[in-house]
Amino acid sequence: MIERMTRAGHPIRHLNRYEFAACVRAAAEKYAGLIRDNGLRQAD
């Protein structure tokens, strides 16, 4: 899996719990902004 991901241009990084939390927080903020800015909502 690591070899395939690396060949595809997605190198594997090992994060400690603080780095992982920051990564998740940044992704949540990014996608929340995209959703808000584009007026998206959950389908009924």
Side-chain angles (χ1 to χ4, degrees):
M1 180 65 142
I2 292 172
E3 181 182 325
R4 286 184 179 181
M5 293 293 288
T6 302
R7 263 190 286 146
H10 303 285
I12 304 299
R13 281 186 47 213
H14 297 279
L15 305 175
N16 65 38
R17 64 182 177 170
Y18 302 108
E19 293 167 327
F20 179 72
C23 183
V24 170
R25 194 169 27 258
E29 291 172 5
K30 172 185 174 181
Y31 291 110
L34 287 171
I35 291 167
R36 183 183 53 253
D37 295 346
N38 289 288
L40 300 176
R41 62 181 181 83
Q42 185 174 355
D44 295 329

